[in-house]
Amino acid sequence: MDITFLILIIALAAMLFFTTSRSRKQQRAAAQFRESLQPGVEVMTQSGMVGVVVAVDTDRQIVRIESSDGHVTDWVMPAVKEVPAQFATPVPEDPDDTDESEVTEQEGSGSTIGPDVIDVPDDISGLDSAQREYRDQQARKDDDTDGK
């Protein structure tokens, strides 16, 4: 028997072992999650619907899920999985947690804008006068060059 053939067989067996062990681990975690389902847990179905578990019937392997618009549907347990982090409902932030140390008030003004912040006007009414000033300045330059 050739040594390269033996190395090839060992390599294939190792790849098969690692591939199946990863999938078995994922299946075990999914089964454990389904066994621990309780009302109030947010879940996602295999088809992508996200909702909250309303009831679990372990005898019939049925999970009743309420979607965000209030519809209640029944799903078989193997079709239910844990919600990935990017699809989970965000926890509302507490408005009292804002850090007010970043907001500084300048002396002599009621503004909370720091000196390094560019102040952008709320309306465009000042643009007309700025354009007029620019045109006047350009006209004066032209007049100066013509008079020399």
Side-chain angles (χ1 to χ4, degrees):
M1 184 186 284
D2 191 17
I3 190 77
T4 56
F5 183 70
L6 185 62
I7 292 174
L8 181 65
I9 296 294
I10 292 172
L12 287 174
M15 286 188 341
L16 183 65
F17 173 76
F18 287 120
T19 304
T20 57
S21 67
R22 182 180 298 141
S23 64
R24 275 185 277 139
K25 186 185 290 186
Q26 290 174 344
Q27 288 174 352
R28 210 174 307 123
Q32 190 176 24
F33 173 75
R34 284 193 294 266
E35 290 172 5
S36 67
L37 279 177
Q38 299 175 10
V41 174
E42 189 173 33
V43 295
M44 184 167 117
T45 64
Q46 292 292 335
S47 62
M49 185 186 90
V50 177
V52 177
V53 174
V54 177
V56 178
D57 185 0
T58 54
D59 296 334
R60 293 178 37 215
Q61 294 287 305
I62 300 286
V63 179
R64 184 164 283 187
I65 301 173
E66 181 179 8
S67 62
S68 62
D69 58 359
H71 290 93
V72 178
T73 54
D74 290 342
W75 294 81
V76 292
M77 270 192 184
V80 176
K81 62 180 183 177
E82 196 169 3
V83 178
Q86 71 260 25
F87 298 117
T89 303
V91 178
E93 292 184 19
D94 189 11
D96 296 335
D97 289 346
T98 56
D99 186 17
E100 295 180 14
S101 64
E102 295 177 9
V103 178
T104 58
E105 187 172 321
Q106 294 178 352
E107 293 181 21
S109 75
S111 175
T112 57
I113 299 174
D116 58 338
V117 178
I118 298 172
D119 191 17
V120 178
D122 292 342
D123 57 4
I124 59 171
S125 62
L127 292 178
D128 190 36
S129 61
Q131 285 178 338
R132 193 175 321 115
E133 289 174 12
Y134 177 75
R135 281 191 225 120
D136 292 344
Q137 189 178 30
Q138 291 299 322
R140 274 187 246 125
K141 284 183 182 178
D142 290 341
D143 290 341
D144 290 342
T145 57
D146 291 341
K148 286 187 179 178

